[in-house]
Amino acid sequence: MNKIGDIIKFIGKTLAYVILCLLFLITAFLIYYMSSSAIAAKKGEKPNIGLYTIVSPSMEPFIKVYDVIIDRKLKTNEELKVGDVITFYSSSLDTDGYTITHRIYDIKVSDGKTYYITKGDNNQSVDIGSITRENIVGKMIYKINGLGKIQFFLSSKLGWILIILIPALCFILYDLNKLNKIFKIKKKIDKIPEYQNMSAKEEIEHNKKVRALLEKSKWMK
């Protein structure tokens, strides 16, 4: 029985460490992302890394609604080609100023300037108007399927309750349960006769009883 308990305890600790490591990595990435974005915005530049949650089916089936894409800023003199997926600021009347993620459908050069024609994989026609390099925020390098669902859920009231109140309540209940065990152990130890007028043998037995109570409650583990 003790072996099973030790195995469960080991698995629990391992999972806890894995979750903590993941949370640390996610937190470190978010800190880097937010700080680099803030610095870039202050300088009037585009961020090195961009995260975007897709809310339109225009790129399905390659990119679905609620997928999160990761873009990187274009390198100096980096050439784009037909088929690349880019995020850009739209100049269309319907979506002016919004960021759109579509695939480069065609590239044209006029008066020494390069223009990119874009199109959503799921759209019947190309996007209205062409864009220049200045409009491009970044080039897609990776996508995370369905991550946007978690983002939208966590931004809801129910999501906040689940990620803040429930874990906090679990910690409180855990601490209360731990305190209750400590008080019970203390009461049992208080009932054990004190050292006064004990022989060496009785003192050893006394210590064994105290230690047994502590080990039973796993207070010493």
Side-chain angles (χ1 to χ4, degrees):
M1 191 70 181
N2 287 335
K3 287 184 178 180
I4 295 174
D6 290 339
I7 291 171
I8 293 172
K9 192 175 180 181
F10 172 76
I11 292 172
K13 282 186 176 181
T14 303
L15 287 174
Y17 285 130
V18 169
I19 291 170
L20 282 174
C21 288
L22 286 174
L23 288 174
F24 174 78
L25 291 173
I26 292 170
T27 303
F29 174 76
L30 289 175
I31 290 172
Y32 165 76
Y33 170 67
M34 289 187 290
S35 59
S36 62
S37 297
I39 292 170
K42 190 175 287 187
K43 292 181 178 179
E45 300 175 352
K46 293 165 185 172
N48 293 323
I49 295 291
L51 298 176
Y52 302 93
T53 301
I54 303 302
V55 294
S56 164
S58 63
M59 280 296 290
E60 290 187 353
F62 179 61
I63 304 175
K64 297 181 175 63
V65 175
Y66 296 124
D67 285 353
V68 171
I69 64 163
I70 301 175
D71 286 351
R72 66 163 175 79
K73 184 171 70 173
L74 295 178
K75 298 175 183 177
T76 306
N77 299 324
E78 179 179 358
E79 290 188 8
L80 293 169
K81 61 183 183 298
V82 172
D84 286 341
V85 176
I86 58 172
T87 300
F88 57 92
Y89 289 112
S90 173
S91 58
S92 171
L93 291 176
D94 295 334
T95 55
D96 186 30
Y98 287 93
T99 53
I100 293 178
T101 299
H102 278 175
R103 196 182 300 277
I104 295 177
Y105 183 78
D106 194 10
I107 301 174
K108 295 182 178 180
V109 179
S110 178
D111 296 329
K113 196 164 188 176
T114 304
Y115 295 90
Y116 300 94
I117 312 300
T118 55
K119 177 181 175 295
D121 291 356
N122 198 33
N123 291 349
Q124 297 297 320
S125 57
V126 298
D127 298 331
I128 298 174
S130 55
I131 61 171
T132 61
R133 193 180 183 89
E134 289 73 26
N135 300 115
I136 298 174
V137 180
K139 177 181 176 181
M140 193 192 87
I141 56 173
Y142 195 71
K143 70 183 176 81
I144 306 172
N145 297 332
L147 184 62
K149 292 180 181 179
I150 299 174
Q151 175 192 346
F152 279 97
F153 174 72
L154 294 180
S155 63
S156 66
K157 289 182 179 179
L158 180 59
W160 276 106
I161 290 172
L162 288 177
I163 65 171
I164 294 178
L165 293 183
I166 290 181
L169 183 61
C170 288
F171 277 116
I172 292 170
L173 291 175
Y174 173 78
D175 287 338
L176 288 174
N177 183 52
K178 197 171 181 180
L179 284 171
N180 184 47
K181 285 183 178 180
I182 293 171
F183 285 127
K184 285 182 178 179
I185 294 167
K186 188 177 182 303
K187 285 181 180 179
K188 288 182 179 180
I189 292 175
D190 288 342
K191 290 180 181 179
I192 299 174
E194 296 183 358
Y195 283 116
Q196 293 177 355
N197 302 320
M198 279 188 182
S199 64
K201 186 177 180 180
E202 288 173 335
E203 187 176 332
I204 291 171
E205 289 299 319
H206 173 276
N207 291 337
K208 282 183 178 180
K209 288 180 181 179
V210 173
R211 188 173 181 83
L213 285 171
L214 293 173
E215 287 182 346
K216 187 178 180 181
S217 65
K218 297 188 177 181
W219 175 244
M220 296 186 67
K221 292 187 178 181

